[in-house]
């Protein structure tokens, strides 16, 4: 099994957390998102990472890869067993990606004005959602799940994004500290990721 992964890409980071949590043996090939090799382009018609190759199977899109790994290596399970809870978890992941990752992408890739607007929106959205993180040790769950794997890379990059959480977001800040000390999160970090957010460690 081979994962083509950009060492700084948050979508790749999500997959690496799952790999670490399940102790999956995999060859991780570091690539640059802006300069992908012909090999990756052959495996993935969209020319994106992460891209996973497992024998004859080629997968792309981080959430598809994460769910495949969870089903292929069922222990520990990272999605609930019952259909309603699984669907709810998938909805959480969709909302995290649509509401927060979209803003993160605008901060990183937009103009200065677009980045400033997105930064303000993301800070306000995270702050408003903070009380949700006080209810359980993990995101809406007593167990570490795929939703945490989605949220954690974004929170780790807040210093890089120029976002400081206010005091009233204490529940979210406490959650972030718990996640950052979770063993598989530490194992998932590349050297570049450690450098980009050293103040979180």
């Amino acid at each position: 099994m081979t994962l083509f992964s950009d060492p700084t890409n948050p979508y790749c980071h999500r997959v690496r957390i799952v790999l670490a949590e399940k102790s999956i043996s995999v060859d991780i090939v570091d690539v640059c998102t802006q300069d992908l090799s012909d090999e990756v382009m052959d495996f993935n018609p969209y020319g994106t990472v992460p891209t996973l190759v497992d024998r004859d199977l080629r997968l792309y899109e981080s959430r598809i890869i994460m769910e495949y790994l969870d089903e292929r290596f069922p222990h520990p399970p990272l999605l609930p067993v019952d259909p309603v809870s699984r669907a709810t978890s998938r909805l959480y992941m969709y909302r995290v990606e649509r509401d927060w990752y979209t803003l993160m992408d605008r901060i990183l890739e937009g103009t200065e004005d677009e980045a400033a607007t997105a930064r303000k929106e993301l800070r306000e959205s995270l702050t408003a959602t903070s009380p949700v993180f006080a209810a359980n040790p993990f995101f809406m769950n007593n167990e570490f799940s795929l939703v945490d794997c989605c949220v954690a890379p974004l929170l780790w990059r807040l210093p890089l994004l120029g976002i400081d959480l206010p005091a009233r977001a204490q529940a979210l800040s406490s959650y972030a500290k718990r996640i950052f000390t979770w063993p598989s999160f530490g194992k998932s970090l590349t050297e570049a990721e450690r450098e980009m957010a050293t103040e979180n460690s």
Side-chain angles (χ1 to χ4, degrees), residues 21 29 68 76-77 101 117 121 127 154 159 165 170 183 199 201:
E21 180 68 14
V29 178
Y68 169 73
Y101 271 75
T117 300
E121 290 178 18
T127 302
L154 181 137
L165 294 175
Q170 182 56 46
E199 65 189 74
S201 19

Side-chain angles (χ1 to χ4, degrees), residues 26-65:
V26 60
D27 292 326
I28 297 180
V29 178
D30 289 340
V31 297
C32 175
T33 304
Q34 308 304 322
D35 186 25
L36 293 176
S37 66
D38 291 340
E39 187 178 20
V40 178
M41 301 298 290
D42 288 342
F43 291 141
N44 180 344
Y46 298 101
T48 60
V49 288
T51 294
L52 181 76
V53 179
D54 186 9
R55 299 186 180 89
D56 293 331
L57 178 67
R58 283 83 170 107
L59 291 178
Y60 30 89
E61 166 54 38
S62 60
R63 277 189 294 153
I64 293 174
I65 296 173

